[in-house]
Tab-separated table of all heavy atoms in Angstrom:
chain	number	residue	atom	x	y	z
K	412	HIS	N	122.627	47.488	119.574
K	412	HIS	CA	124.108	47.311	119.574
K	412	HIS	C	124.490	46.142	120.514
K	412	HIS	O	125.443	45.361	120.203
K	412	HIS	CB	124.850	48.471	120.119
K	412	HIS	CG	124.752	49.710	119.235
K	412	HIS	ND1	123.863	50.791	119.443
K	412	HIS	CD2	125.335	49.982	118.122
K	412	HIS	CE1	124.003	51.627	118.515
K	412	HIS	NE2	124.871	51.186	117.582
K	413	PHE	N	123.804	45.960	121.625
K	413	PHE	CA	124.348	45.109	122.713
K	413	PHE	C	123.547	43.838	123.015
K	413	PHE	O	124.093	42.869	123.393
K	413	PHE	CB	124.531	45.867	123.925
K	413	PHE	CG	125.513	46.892	123.964
K	413	PHE	CD1	125.316	48.243	124.375
K	413	PHE	CD2	126.842	46.691	123.385
K	413	PHE	CE1	126.234	49.253	124.318
K	413	PHE	CE2	127.820	47.653	123.414
K	413	PHE	CZ	127.476	48.932	123.824
K	414	GLU	N	122.294	43.895	122.771
K	414	GLU	CA	121.416	42.802	123.339
K	414	GLU	C	121.356	41.612	122.362
K	414	GLU	O	120.872	41.737	121.181
K	414	GLU	CB	120.029	43.315	123.611
K	414	GLU	CG	119.079	42.371	124.295
K	414	GLU	CD	119.585	41.956	125.697
K	414	GLU	OE1	120.647	42.386	126.162
K	414	GLU	OE2	118.884	41.149	126.343
K	415	PHE	N	121.888	40.525	122.750
K	415	PHE	CA	121.858	39.292	121.926
K	415	PHE	C	120.417	38.631	122.241
K	415	PHE	O	119.998	38.415	123.315
K	415	PHE	CB	122.889	38.354	122.506
K	415	PHE	CG	122.801	36.959	121.912
K	415	PHE	CD1	123.340	36.697	120.598
K	415	PHE	CD2	122.252	35.805	122.574
K	415	PHE	CE1	123.282	35.435	120.053
K	415	PHE	CE2	122.182	34.595	122.043
K	415	PHE	CZ	122.685	34.319	120.775
K	416	VAL	N	119.720	38.478	120.996
K	416	VAL	CA	118.391	37.857	121.128
K	416	VAL	C	118.226	36.684	120.221
K	416	VAL	O	118.421	36.870	118.970
K	416	VAL	CB	117.294	38.864	120.884
K	416	VAL	CG1	115.917	38.287	121.052
K	416	VAL	CG2	117.373	40.129	121.665
K	417	ARG	N	117.944	35.512	120.684
K	417	ARG	CA	117.741	34.445	119.827
K	417	ARG	C	116.371	33.846	120.028
K	417	ARG	O	116.019	33.582	121.171
K	417	ARG	CB	118.747	33.279	120.139
K	417	ARG	CG	118.765	32.057	119.167
K	417	ARG	CD	119.776	31.055	119.493
K	417	ARG	NE	119.583	30.636	120.953
K	417	ARG	CZ	120.699	30.217	121.706
K	417	ARG	NH1	121.839	30.212	121.182
K	417	ARG	NH2	120.485	29.853	122.965
K	418	THR	N	115.640	33.792	118.937
K	418	THR	CA	114.295	33.109	119.089
K	418	THR	C	114.341	31.933	118.055
K	418	THR	O	115.378	31.637	117.505
K	418	THR	CB	113.175	34.072	118.644
K	418	THR	OG1	113.321	34.281	117.219
K	418	THR	CG2	113.185	35.433	119.356
K	419	GLU	N	113.163	31.266	117.941
K	419	GLU	CA	113.237	30.052	117.105
K	419	GLU	C	113.560	30.485	115.666
K	419	GLU	O	114.146	29.608	114.936
K	419	GLU	CB	111.871	29.403	117.136
K	419	GLU	CG	111.829	28.330	118.220
K	419	GLU	CD	110.400	27.684	118.319
K	419	GLU	OE1	109.683	27.576	117.359
K	419	GLU	OE2	110.131	27.332	119.450
K	420	THR	N	113.155	31.657	115.194
K	420	THR	CA	113.364	31.966	113.810
K	420	THR	C	114.463	32.976	113.498
K	420	THR	O	114.811	33.263	112.407
K	420	THR	CB	112.031	32.475	113.241
K	420	THR	OG1	111.512	33.496	114.117
K	420	THR	CG2	111.026	31.315	113.127
K	421	THR	N	114.873	33.777	114.574
K	421	THR	CA	115.770	34.901	114.346
K	421	THR	C	116.922	34.862	115.324
K	421	THR	O	116.749	34.335	116.434
K	421	THR	CB	115.048	36.263	114.497
K	421	THR	OG1	114.561	36.326	115.855
K	421	THR	CG2	113.928	36.379	113.486
K	422	VAL	N	118.060	35.422	114.955
K	422	VAL	CA	119.150	35.739	115.913
K	422	VAL	C	119.510	37.229	115.732
K	422	VAL	O	119.800	37.656	114.524
K	422	VAL	CB	120.380	34.893	115.558
K	422	VAL	CG1	121.487	35.348	116.502
K	422	VAL	CG2	120.053	33.446	115.796
K	423	ARG	N	119.479	38.007	116.751
K	423	ARG	CA	120.042	39.352	116.716
K	423	ARG	C	121.388	39.290	117.471
K	423	ARG	O	121.426	39.065	118.666
K	423	ARG	CB	119.145	40.450	117.302
K	423	ARG	CG	119.728	41.831	117.042
K	423	ARG	CD	118.788	42.899	117.474
K	423	ARG	NE	118.842	43.055	118.868
K	423	ARG	CZ	117.848	43.726	119.567
K	423	ARG	NH1	116.795	44.171	119.026
K	423	ARG	NH2	117.947	43.760	120.890
K	424	GLN	N	122.476	39.522	116.784
K	424	GLN	CA	123.785	39.226	117.306
K	424	GLN	C	124.099	40.166	118.537
K	424	GLN	O	124.499	39.655	119.585
K	424	GLN	CB	124.844	39.323	116.271
K	424	GLN	CG	126.207	38.726	116.676
K	424	GLN	CD	126.108	37.337	117.207
K	424	GLN	OE1	125.496	36.423	116.622
K	424	GLN	NE2	126.680	37.044	118.380
K	425	GLY	N	123.926	41.471	118.369
K	425	GLY	CA	124.321	42.377	119.376
K	425	GLY	C	125.674	42.189	119.861
K	425	GLY	O	126.586	41.963	119.058
K	426	LEU	N	125.936	42.381	121.164
K	426	LEU	CA	127.230	42.089	121.835
K	426	LEU	C	128.442	42.865	121.133
K	426	LEU	O	129.495	42.322	121.020
K	426	LEU	CB	127.504	40.590	121.853
K	426	LEU	CG	126.446	39.708	122.449
K	426	LEU	CD1	126.804	38.280	122.397
K	426	LEU	CD2	126.174	40.154	123.934
K	427	MET	N	128.137	44.110	120.708
K	427	MET	CA	129.140	44.907	120.036
K	427	MET	C	130.240	45.324	121.051
K	427	MET	O	129.965	45.371	122.258
K	427	MET	CB	128.543	46.167	119.430
K	427	MET	CG	127.563	45.923	118.381
K	427	MET	SD	128.377	45.621	116.725
K	427	MET	CE	128.785	47.243	116.336
K	428	ASN	N	131.402	45.611	120.530
K	428	ASN	CA	132.467	46.139	121.399
K	428	ASN	C	132.085	47.569	121.814
K	428	ASN	O	131.781	48.427	120.968
K	428	ASN	CB	133.785	46.256	120.503
K	428	ASN	CG	134.934	46.705	121.371
K	428	ASN	OD1	134.879	47.777	121.919
K	428	ASN	ND2	135.983	45.986	121.329
K	429	ALA	N	132.015	47.678	123.206
K	429	ALA	CA	131.461	49.010	123.720
K	429	ALA	C	132.330	50.190	123.312
K	429	ALA	O	131.876	51.334	123.212
K	429	ALA	CB	131.352	48.863	125.198
K	430	THR	N	133.645	49.987	123.048
K	430	THR	CA	134.547	51.102	122.734
K	430	THR	C	134.107	51.613	121.361
K	430	THR	O	134.126	52.870	121.103
K	430	THR	CB	135.958	50.653	122.708
K	430	THR	OG1	136.222	50.065	124.000
K	430	THR	CG2	136.878	51.820	122.494
Side-chain angles (χ1 to χ4, degrees):
H412 292 102
F413 294 131
E414 187 64 357
F415 173 78
V416 184
R417 186 178 56 212
T418 66
E419 269 176 32
T420 50
T421 60
V422 174
R423 188 173 77 197
Q424 192 55 47
L426 306 180
M427 296 280 283
N428 182 307
T430 306

